[in-house]
Every structure is written in structure tokens, then in C-alpha cells.
Amino acid sequence: MGIKWRHWALPAAPLALALLAAAGCESAPDARPERTAAPTAAPSTSVARVCAKPAAGPAKAPAGAVTVDPAVAGDLAAKTRNSPPHTVFWLRPGQHRLEPDRYAQVIPKEGNSYLGAPGAVLDGRKTNQYAFGGTARNVTIRYLTVQGFVAPHDEGVVNHDSADEWVIEHATIQNNTGAGLMAGARQRVRASCLRGNGQYGMNAYKATGRISGLVVEGNEITGNNRDDWERRRPGCGCTGGVKFWAVNGADVRGNWVHDNRGAGLWADTNNNDFRIEDNVLEANDGAALIYETSYNAVIRKNTIRRNNWVEGRRHADRGDTFPFATVYLSESGGEPRVRARTDKIEIYRNVLENNWSGITLWENADRFCNSPANASSGDCTLLVENTGRCAQPAIATAPLYADCRWKTQRVDIHSNRFVLDKSVVACMVDCDRMAVLANYGTYPDWSPYQGERVAEAITRKQDNRWHDNVYLGPWKFVAHDPSRILDSGQWQGTPYQQDAGSTFRAQDGG
């Protein structure tokens, strides 16, 4: 699974949030900008600033709660085993430990609640792999710091087994390896700090079945992918602040997602029905948002600033002309046959300020079910139940010709404000692109999508539209393929006819 960026083969609304005048950045091609103790300015009060000021838990044990003693190693796991379901546990102030065995995690029972007193920390001491696991439903964790666990790659520390209906609120999950948190169906993650974890802040992945009804609200998600997995495993597509896999219904709102190594938010492979709204996404090394091989989303009222400076510059310095964008839709679009709260991808009333490029709509002509170029190996679209049908000769005719590939279609981009000052981004070229394009299909030899078929479709036949936006700064536009770089007049003119009703003020961006 994961995205393949390389493009030639394998893959004027009211402002809800104040704009920030960012400082310039100079860096070597592969260097990360230096991070300070306070790497970004605080967002507006409508977005969570959780890590610096975590909410305090109850100073006294609630009536009927089981008290957990930090002086007794393994006390939390033992008392969980010996108590019935629906028990409330109150962790005293101090550093709590598990037994010194890597599999000594807590296994909650259905309906259990874990409340941390002020200063309560569950520390894995770089010995235990997991903090909370098992398959019990309806578990609650509040006011607790969980740190120092060493989950393996792609695994998580809290809710390790992706159990359903967990609630994580006012928690701090930090400085673990792997993912700080996994997700199950109808999980609620609210007002929590997901900080400095080795791979993801949260990995929304369930080995069996799909995740539905996920809520991620009012969290601060920062400094994740500390172990730089994309550098350790190039092309793995396994990094970022939050990764979503096959999630059917998610509300991601009011979060502050910043300073993550890699992408901020990444929905990868057969996600559907997302609402991503009222977030501040800033200063992530890669894209603020990637929506890949997925369906039906509303992306609105977000402030998106100073993203993709590291990864965008790295590719440009290597001579790559692909329009690496801060909002990147890869083989993703609206599909009325997949049930959701919308039947398109609508991107509106967002502010994008001083990012490395803007929005790219991309479709890899060589990526489809059963193609060796499908980075989501073994997966097929949500429109084809029997993947084996996507083969010659049937794939060359309707309905499989359309249904065997993820399509970037029915994308409506309007009422956004795009601001670019190249002196702030510290770039001369390649950071000023808005794009809709595909590659020339070549692979495999039985592909019915060879040549310019997909490039023509995504550009002119799949109802992808920009309109009624405001552009400040020297924006350029890419259509059909990376070689077609247009000015605003060409972009608005025949044959592309994009951005009707939009305004362009190149001099205002710097």
C-alpha cells in the first residue's frame, strides 16, 4: 500500500482563522528545517492547543473506582484482570509501570474506564511493546499520559488490536515507537495530544473488517514519524501524523496537525465518506493532506499553511517536474454508487497560504486492479467484488473498464483562498502549481489504459472543476501532463475552462 509519487511509471470566503505571516526557510536538499521548542505559532482559539496545556484529571478517586498504585509494578494490569467488566480505574499521580515483559500490556474488559490523576503516567520504559490491547468494546481512557512503549512498525501502543467503540479523551500519547494509537469502529479521539511517536500519531487500520464512524476532534497531532520511516523504507507510504486505511465514515475536525515528518493527514486505499473541516494543518514536511484511492469527501474551512516545504523542495532539487502539492488527490473522487453523505469530493472555503504548491488532482494510468503498478497490492476498487474479473478481455469493456480503476472524478474546488509569497517559501520555481494530470499509460502490456486515455479523461471528461476561487501570488497551472504549464488565461480558456468566476492578483502574493 501507499502512494507512488513518481508520475511517469508507478505510480473569497470569510476566514475562520487568522492568517500567519511565516518566516522564510533555507535548507539543503535533504535537510529538515530546524525545529525549536515552539515550532509554530499557536492557532486560533477554535483549534486545539492540547500538548502545552493538557487538561487535568480528577484529583481524587471517583466513587466506586479501583485505585491503581504507581509503586506496584504491574498493578494496573493485575487489577484489570481481577475486576469485572465496566470497572472504573483511577491511576494515582506518579509513574506507573507494567511487568518487565514486552507482552505485559493491559487487557481491558468491556466497558472499563481508565482515569489518570494529575501527573499520572503509564511508562513502557522502552521495554513493553503495548499499553492497552485486546478486543473488548467500549473502553475509555481519559487524562492519562502513555509514553515510552516500543510497538513494532505498523503496530500501535493504545488499542493495539483495533477494538471498537473506544473513547480516548484528554490523553497524551507520546514518544512511543510505531503508532501511538490504533483505531476501531466508532472510536472517538478527542482533545488529546498525539506527539513525537516513531511512525504515526494514529494508525486507523483494522486487520478484519472496515472502520466506520470514526471521530478525530480537537486534538494536537505533532512531531510524529520521528523515526523517519520513508527514509528507512523508501516508497513505503507508511508515515505521517495520521494514516487512515479503509475507513468508511470519518469526521476529522478542529485538530491542530503540525510539524509532522511526512504528511499531516493521509487517507490511503478505499476510504469513503470523510469530512475534514475546521482544522489547522501547518508546517508538515510533506503534504498537509493526501486522499489516495478513496471516495467521497468534504474538505472545508481548514487553514493550511507552510506545508510540504521539505519534501517539495527535495523533489524540485532533484529535477523532478511533477507538481508535488500540499493537498494531493491521487486516484480519488466522487462516486454516487458508494454510499456516503456526499457523492463527490468538495474542497471549499479553505485558506491555503505559503505552501509548496496548492492542489494536485492525479491519476496514474498504470494503477488499477491486478496491475503490478498498483501500490495498494491485492486491493481493488469498491465497485468490483471479484478482483479476478479485472483481466483481459473483460477489463477492456464496460462496466469493468470504468470500475476496475480508481478514478479522480467529480472533484469540486471552489470558494478557496490561495496565497503564495515565494520570498516566504524561499523558492524560485516549482512551488507555485495547481494541477490536474495523469501520466502516459504504458504498463502492463495487457492494460486497456495505455496512451493518453487517462490524461484526457481526468483533464476534460471526469467533471473535475475549479471555480470562484481567489488567487494571490504568481500561480501557475498544470493540465493533462507535467509538460503543460499554463498561465491563468490559458487555464481559464479553451480547452480547459477552469476557474470560472475566480480572481487572480499575481502582485499581491509577493
Side-chain angles (χ1 to χ4, degrees):
M1 294 183 181
I3 203 162
K4 295 294 183 182
W5 283 102
R6 302 183 75 90
H7 57 272
W8 51 85
L10 300 180
L15 302 188
L17 304 166
L19 293 176
L20 174 70
C25 173
E26 299 282 353
S27 67
D30 290 328
R32 286 169 51 85
E34 292 184 5
R35 302 298 195 202
T36 64
T40 59
S44 75
T45 56
S46 64
V47 176
R49 187 175 188 177
V50 178
C51 295
K53 297 180 180 180
K60 296 182 179 180
V66 173
T67 297
V68 182
D69 187 352
V72 179
D75 196 39
L76 179 61
K79 286 179 174 173
T80 296
R81 285 194 300 270
N82 295 329
S83 300
H86 303 282
T87 297
V88 176
F89 299 88
W90 179 71
L91 285 73
R92 289 183 181 273
Q95 187 166 302
H96 295 254
R97 299 164 293 152
L98 302 177
E99 292 288 346
D101 180 277
R102 61 178 177 166
Y103 299 123
Q105 64 264 27
V106 180
I107 306 296
K109 297 174 182 176
E110 183 173 353
N112 281 1
S113 293
Y114 298 87
L115 305 179
V121 176
L122 180 60
D123 196 325
R125 299 168 297 142
K126 298 184 179 180
T127 299
N128 309 112
Q129 289 191 351
Y130 319 118
F132 295 92
T135 59
R137 294 173 176 263
N138 195 27
V139 172
T140 298
I141 299 170
R142 290 190 174 103
Y143 305 111
L144 182 63
T145 294
V146 180
Q147 64 185 32
F149 289 82
V150 286
H153 180 259
D154 287 339
E155 297 186 38
V157 169
V158 175
N159 197 9
H160 169 262
D161 299 294
S162 302
D164 295 338
E165 299 178 28
W166 283 38
V167 175
I168 294 91
E169 290 183 332
H170 304 294
T172 297
I173 304 174
Q174 64 182 9
N175 302 329
N176 305 285
T177 65
L181 173 65
M182 300 297 286
R186 298 172 297 285
Q187 180 162 296
R188 305 290 188 265
V189 185
R190 293 191 174 106
S192 293
C193 171
L194 308 180
R195 173 172 60 186
N197 296 291
Q199 189 178 4
Y200 304 114
M202 183 173 75
N203 185 12
Y205 170 78
K206 194 173 179 70
T208 57
R210 301 183 72 194
I211 296 171
S212 61
L214 179 63
V215 174
V216 182
E217 180 177 20
N219 305 285
E220 185 174 350
I221 302 165
T222 181
N224 296 292
N225 188 30
R226 187 188 62 235
D227 294 336
D228 202 0
W229 278 99
E230 196 69 38
R231 187 179 294 273
R232 295 169 68 175
R233 297 186 182 181
C236 72
C238 60
T239 63
V242 180
K243 194 72 179 281
F244 303 90
W245 309 87
V247 174
N248 186 28
D251 291 279
V252 183
R253 56 180 176 252
N255 302 284
W256 186 19
V257 184
H258 65 99
D259 295 280
N260 294 285
R261 179 177 281 167
L265 303 174
W266 190 341
D268 184 358
T269 308
N270 286 340
N271 296 278
N272 175 50
D273 195 13
F274 272 53
R275 287 189 176 177
I276 301 169
E277 56 191 356
D278 295 313
N279 302 285
V280 170
L281 311 175
E282 65 180 328
N284 297 290
D285 283 3
L289 171 63
I290 300 174
Y291 206 70
E292 178 184 3
T293 53
S294 294
Y295 302 89
N296 302 324
V298 173
I299 302 165
R300 64 186 176 190
K301 298 188 290 183
N302 301 286
T303 292
I304 302 171
R305 56 196 176 197
R306 298 186 293 116
N307 296 281
N308 203 28
W309 287 13
V310 173
E311 293 189 5
R313 192 185 317 279
R314 181 182 299 152
H315 288 284
D317 288 347
R318 293 172 179 170
D320 195 332
T321 59
F322 186 81
F324 294 94
T326 199
V327 175
Y328 184 73
L329 271 61
S330 176
E331 296 90 22
S332 292
E335 176 51 73
R337 290 175 292 173
V338 177
R339 186 175 180 180
R341 290 167 288 182
T342 181
D343 62 2
K344 59 184 176 180
I345 293 182
E346 189 173 15
I347 304 174
Y348 70 100
R349 294 185 64 192
N350 301 285
V351 175
L352 284 81
E353 182 190 19
N354 291 328
N355 301 284
W356 190 280
S357 286
I359 299 174
T360 286
L361 309 186
W362 160 252
E363 199 170 321
N364 184 345
D366 299 331
R367 186 178 190 180
F368 52 91
C369 303
N370 288 329
S371 169
N374 178 18
S376 299
S377 178
D379 286 287
C380 192
T381 70
L382 295 180
L383 304 175
V384 178
E385 292 185 5
N386 181 0
T387 306
R389 297 175 63 208
C390 295
Q392 288 286 12
I395 193 173
T397 59
L400 295 179
Y401 179 85
D403 291 352
C404 287
R405 64 176 301 108
W406 295 272
K407 293 190 290 186
T408 303
Q409 64 178 6
R410 298 173 60 83
V411 180
D412 188 5
I413 302 168
H414 67 92
S415 306
N416 301 287
R417 183 179 178 90
F418 301 110
V419 180
L420 177 63
D421 185 336
K422 287 188 174 182
S423 69
V424 172
V425 184
C427 75
M428 296 300 294
V429 295
D430 297 333
C431 66
D432 53 2
R433 307 299 165 89
M434 203 74 61
V436 52
L437 76 165
N439 58 321
Y440 190 91
T442 61
Y443 181 79
D445 57 9
W446 54 270
S447 168
Y449 311 108
Q450 294 187 15
E452 296 187 348
R453 292 180 178 90
V454 174
E456 284 293 310
I458 188 175
T459 306
R460 300 171 61 178
K461 300 176 183 178
Q462 291 179 181
D463 197 22
N464 296 314
R465 298 178 61 232
W466 279 255
H467 63 96
D468 298 296
N469 298 294
V470 173
Y471 292 87
L472 306 179
W475 288 94
K476 295 180 182 177
F477 304 87
V478 181
H480 189 275
D481 63 74
S483 69
R484 300 191 190 183
I485 301 174
L486 315 173
D487 61 28
S488 60
Q490 294 168 317
W491 176 247
Q492 289 184 299
T494 303
Y496 308 110
Q497 296 182 321
Q498 292 290 359
D499 265 314
S502 297
T503 60
F504 301 85
R505 297 205 300 272
Q507 72 278 11
D508 292 349

